[in-house]
Amino acid sequence: MKKMYLLGLMFLWSVFSIAQNIPNGGFENWSTTGNYANPDGWFTFNATFSAINVFTVEKGTPGASGNGYAKITSKNIGDNLFPGALLMGSLVNNEVIPGMAINTKPAFLLGKYQSKIGKDDTALVIVQFTKWNNLTNTRELEGIGILDFIDLNSDTWTEFIVSMDYIGNLTPDSCSITITLGNVPPASDNFFAVDDLIFSNTLNLTNETNKPIAQVYPNPNNGKFTINSTANMSYIQITNILGEVVFLQNINGNSVPIILNNLAAGFYHYSINTIDIKLINGKIMIN
């Protein structure tokens, strides 16, 4: 049975400011330590596995618009499976140290990707906004954006967008960006390459004209709802804010009723593959 070195990937934190571009969001700057390199301002597990020359995040060139990009790869060494992970900030004693402060609410994370993601595997981009509560000495969730890439291959740079949902009226003071390959056991040598990450309050994508649309009704709901799509759907996956799969189903149609019993109230994220290999993502709020 393969061992998975996840090391708490879903709780890794980073912080940014919308007044500035995401630091090194184009992955142009890398620093070398011994036999590996990391993108400046970003954390990887390369140091953890450097003694056995396993590197799950590496620099690729050329990038979508510059000289570099980050390539996240799953590595299979003997009986050990090493899923790739990239996060903004640093990790000290399993505690994530934020990288930058934020005092606004961006609407979108935009970026570009290339990928080789096989059947039953997925890449995951998670953006979480939090605010420190001085009364409870805890960090509380204020907003979230999640995007899944399921069984998706692209050998050219393709734009993606992660839309944000905010829970209340408070302005967050921090945010995390976590990019992982494999929230189920990943296949060896699958990869997800990412470049040109920026925050935006407007959309300016070039390939949105014929993008299919999905609607959840009712939303919010009590766990019983229907997803309707303008395109013929082939696959639906629903995950919680930690990226854990709570629903997975192959379908063939434009509408599917779903019942999710005994789930905690909060945001959930759905990803849909259509028959013509287009990706639809969105949020579900369960009361």
Side-chain angles (χ1 to χ4, degrees):
M1 184 175 181
K2 296 184 183 297
K3 302 176 183 177
M4 294 194 68
Y5 292 83
L6 291 176
L7 301 179
L9 298 181
M10 293 304 127
F11 299 97
L12 305 180
W13 296 95
S14 71
V15 181
F16 59 86
S17 170
I18 196 170
Q20 306 172 16
N21 290 331
I22 298 174
N24 203 24
F27 302 100
E28 296 297 300
N29 302 313
W30 294 66
S31 294
T32 300
T33 303
N35 58 348
Y36 67 91
N38 281 337
D40 293 351
W42 293 79
F43 176 86
T44 77
F45 290 106
N46 286 342
T48 303
F49 308 130
S50 62
I52 55 174
N53 291 312
V54 173
F55 309 113
T56 57
V57 177
E58 296 175 289
K59 181 179 181 179
T61 189
S65 60
N67 292 323
Y69 65 90
K71 183 178 181 181
I72 306 167
T73 309
S74 298
K75 295 294 181 68
N76 191 353
I77 309 297
D79 291 332
N80 297 323
L81 188 60
F82 301 88
L86 177 67
L87 65 139
M88 196 174 176
S90 59
L91 188 67
V92 178
N93 296 325
N94 287 329
E95 179 181 356
V96 177
I97 308 301
M100 291 185 67
I102 185 172
N103 57 8
T104 189
K105 296 179 176 180
F108 308 105
L109 171 68
L110 308 180
K112 296 177 182 177
Y113 78 94
Q114 294 182 355
S115 65
K116 175 190 172 186
I117 304 172
K119 185 178 180 181
D120 299 326
D121 200 2
T122 178
L124 192 65
V125 179
I126 302 175
V127 185
Q128 289 181 295
F129 298 85
T130 63
K131 185 177 182 65
W132 183 258
N133 187 324
N134 289 321
L135 296 178
T136 61
N137 287 324
T138 58
R139 189 162 288 283
E140 298 178 348
L141 184 68
E142 299 296 335
I144 190 170
I146 304 176
L147 183 62
D148 285 347
F149 298 79
I150 305 168
D151 191 11
L152 193 65
N153 297 314
S154 176
D155 57 6
T156 61
W157 287 109
T158 304
E159 295 165 316
F160 71 83
I161 174 174
V162 185
S163 60
M164 308 303 167
D165 288 315
Y166 293 93
I167 297 171
N169 296 322
L170 295 178
T171 300
D173 60 21
S174 66
C175 170
S176 68
I177 304 175
T178 304
I179 306 173
T180 66
L181 181 59
N183 70 333
V184 296
S188 179
D189 296 325
N190 279 358
F191 75 86
F192 183 77
V194 63
D195 201 3
D196 291 351
L197 297 179
I198 60 170
F199 287 102
S200 176
N201 284 322
T202 60
L203 282 178
N204 186 26
L205 299 183
T206 59
N207 298 314
E208 292 295 303
T209 304
N210 298 316
K211 184 175 181 178
I213 299 172
Q215 182 181 41
V216 178
Y217 182 83
N219 195 21
N221 57 71
N222 63 359
K224 297 181 181 180
F225 55 91
T226 298
I227 297 181
N228 299 306
S229 173
T230 58
N232 203 26
M233 299 179 287
S234 63
Y235 180 96
I236 293 179
Q237 176 176 286
I238 300 175
T239 57
N240 61 20
I241 63 172
L242 303 180
E244 299 168 336
V245 178
V246 299
F247 179 86
L248 187 67
Q249 182 174 313
N250 293 315
I251 62 171
N252 185 5
N254 295 82
S255 180
V256 57
I258 296 175
I259 299 177
L260 300 177
N261 293 320
N262 303 317
L263 289 182
F267 280 115
Y268 291 80
H269 176 258
Y270 67 83
S271 292
I272 298 170
N273 276 10
T274 66
I275 295 296
D276 55 352
I277 320 297
K278 292 185 177 180
L279 188 67
I280 311 173
N281 293 276
K283 307 292 187 306
I284 301 166
M285 180 67 181
I286 295 180
N287 295 323

